Amino acid sequence: MGGRSLGREFGWLWAAYGVSTIGTMLAFDAFPMIAIVVLHAGPAAVSALAATGLAVGAVIAVPLGPWVEFRRKRPVMIATDLTRFAAVISVPAAFALGQLGFAQLVIVSVVVGAADIAFRSASGAFLKALVPPGDLLTANGRFESTAWTATMLGPPLGGLAVALFGPVTTVTADAVSYLLSALGIRAIGGKETPPAHPAPRTGPRTGLRRGGLLEGWRHILRHPALRPLFFNTVLVNGLIMATAPLLASLMLGSLGFSLWQYGLAFGAPCIGGLIGARLSRRLVARHGQHRVMTAAGVLRACWLLGLVPVRPGAAGLVLVATVELGLITCCAVFNPVFSTYRLEQTGTDRVARTLSAWSVTSKAATAAMTALWGVLAGLTGPRTAIAVAGLLMLATPLLLPRRAPAPKREPQAAPSGA
């Protein structure tokens, strides 16, 4: 990353991202834990809770992409942060009053899922306007490093907090993190560039009329390089997430690993996320954006199959940690390069819709694949289901773009003033 400052405004945006990400990772798996420990929900209900939040939240977020596109992005980001704060803080409030129910957890999951997508689409468009094109990879690399740091530290600290202070402690911290994120985004200040086509009046329908509900998908599917990347990333992310609960079931069940061993096997390899994110910019400077993105995309497809032969004992633990380290490192190189490339290949007037369409599809596909692999594991066993996912992963490099397209030229725009 070089340690070079990208300006005060980016510093506030980065801080807001960092605090909300840490809050989210502190509360990692908090809702399933509350459903099991507090509400005594069974496995089917817990699985339904996870899938519903992803799937229904993604459906609700479909019209939000066009709506976000035609509005200033910073107020949208603040509003979605405050929405997530209000939704999440309702859980510890209801718990304190003895009124917490399973339906509330489902509703909060849906609201947070939809708000997440709206926030990501707005923040991506805002980042593109805030940071010079030559610094986009540096900015995305810093976000990637922050995400993996939070992933490495958040769940263990969250588990300790729950053990010491109760089941809703981390949910409260997550809610407060959204509030702090909103304050950080507000502190950015300055004038934001007006949308390319300002909506004449408020309301989601305006965005639908002016931009079309499907404009984000149209841009992706018509773009010769974004189209294969779209299918590649959706499939890779879905396969990784679909096998996570199967591996947990295998390790904590028949293989007899303890909870701390399971946490160590997935927490320690997150150091690869820091390494990969820091390497991404240097690799691009030496080898070029397209070559690095392709190589990292190929390498990250080679690891999942290595989880199939895992066995009990120290050797099995080392195997899982090694595979996860390789996978995370390759993903951490790929992600910032890919995110930068996607922003570069998308016009300013359709960034929010494109990012929203991408997130909606990814979350819906992940929910569907998680459910499908759960059924497959029930029929064949978790080890076989992981093997099928690993074999499919080996085919995903075929969806990477074969050649680098010409750089996209942006139309002249007024300075952001930020």
Side-chain angles (χ1 to χ4, degrees):
M1 308 306 165
R4 186 168 61 85
S5 172
L6 298 184
R8 183 190 69 85
E9 294 86 357
F10 175 77
W12 278 112
L13 181 64
W14 189 15
Y17 173 82
V19 72
S20 65
T21 304
I22 291 172
T24 298
M25 296 314 299
L26 280 172
F28 185 73
D29 277 348
F31 277 19
M33 186 183 301
I34 291 172
I36 294 169
V37 175
V38 177
L39 303 178
H40 309 291
V46 173
S47 298
L49 173 63
T52 302
L54 281 175
V56 180
V59 171
I60 292 175
V62 169
L64 293 180
W67 182 79
V68 170
E69 192 76 79
F70 302 112
R71 276 150 186 85
R72 296 180 188 270
K73 305 306 181 288
R74 197 155 61 95
V76 171
M77 294 158 66
I78 294 172
T80 52
D81 266 337
L82 294 178
T83 299
R84 291 185 289 184
F85 165 73
V88 175
I89 200 66
S90 71
V91 172
F95 176 78
L97 296 173
Q99 300 297 318
L100 182 62
F102 187 81
Q104 182 177 352
L105 292 182
V106 173
I107 293 171
V108 172
S109 297
V110 169
V111 171
V112 171
D116 282 346
I117 294 175
F119 182 91
R120 288 177 183 233
S121 60
S123 63
F126 183 75
L127 178 66
K128 182 170 182 177
L130 180 68
V131 175
D135 289 330
L136 275 175
L137 180 55
T138 300
N140 281 315
R142 291 178 183 178
F143 287 145
E144 187 75 10
S145 295
T146 303
W148 287 113
T149 301
T151 303
M152 181 169 54
L153 300 178
L157 293 177
L160 179 62
V162 168
L164 293 176
F165 304 111
V168 299
T169 303
T170 56
V171 177
T172 305
D174 189 23
V176 173
S177 75
Y178 291 129
L179 183 60
L180 294 176
S181 174
L183 293 174
I185 294 168
R186 187 178 185 277
I188 292 173
K191 293 182 179 180
E192 183 182 344
T193 303
H197 303 288
R201 60 189 179 87
T202 58
R205 292 182 180 179
T206 302
L208 302 185
R209 290 198 303 270
R210 294 294 299 266
L213 185 65
L214 304 178
E215 179 58 32
W217 282 281
R218 283 196 202 101
H219 170 65
I220 294 168
L221 297 178
R222 290 174 180 173
H223 195 288
L226 289 184
R227 181 174 59 250
L229 272 175
F230 175 67
F231 291 113
N232 173 273
T233 55
V234 168
L235 183 58
V236 167
N237 292 339
L239 289 171
I240 292 173
M241 296 303 295
T243 55
L246 307 184
L247 185 59
S249 174
L250 185 64
M251 291 181 67
L252 298 174
S254 60
L255 297 183
F257 287 99
S258 63
L259 284 173
W260 74 264
Q261 289 174 319
Y262 175 78
L264 179 65
F266 288 93
C270 289
I271 191 68
L274 301 178
I275 296 170
R278 294 187 66 85
L279 283 176
S280 60
R281 187 171 181 271
R282 299 176 186 177
L283 291 172
V284 168
R286 176 173 296 184
H287 301 289
Q289 182 188 58
H290 182 259
R291 184 176 294 180
V292 171
M293 186 166 61
T294 302
V298 170
L299 290 174
R300 69 179 179 155
C302 302
W303 296 96
L304 199 58
L305 206 57
L307 295 172
V308 176
V310 62
R311 291 291 184 268
L317 193 65
V318 171
L319 174 63
V320 173
T322 302
V323 170
E324 292 296 323
L325 177 64
L327 176 62
I328 289 171
T329 303
C330 294
C331 288
V333 172
F334 178 89
N335 289 342
V337 181
F338 151 70
S339 298
T340 301
Y341 177 81
R342 182 173 56 181
L343 288 176
E344 290 172 348
Q345 295 298 317
T346 304
T348 305
D349 60 338
R350 55 170 60 90
V351 172
R353 285 172 289 180
T354 299
L355 297 182
S356 177
W358 211 296
S359 294
V360 165
T361 306
S362 183
K363 287 181 179 290
T366 296
M369 293 174 71
T370 300
L372 178 62
W373 254 259
V375 173
L376 180 61
L379 296 174
T380 65
R383 201 182 294 273
T384 301
I386 293 171
V388 172
L391 291 173
L392 288 175
M393 278 283 280
L394 292 177
T396 58
L398 297 174
L399 295 172
L400 292 168
R402 301 300 176 87
R403 60 178 63 89
K408 183 177 181 62
R409 292 185 178 182
E410 287 282 357
Q412 292 292 337
S416 68

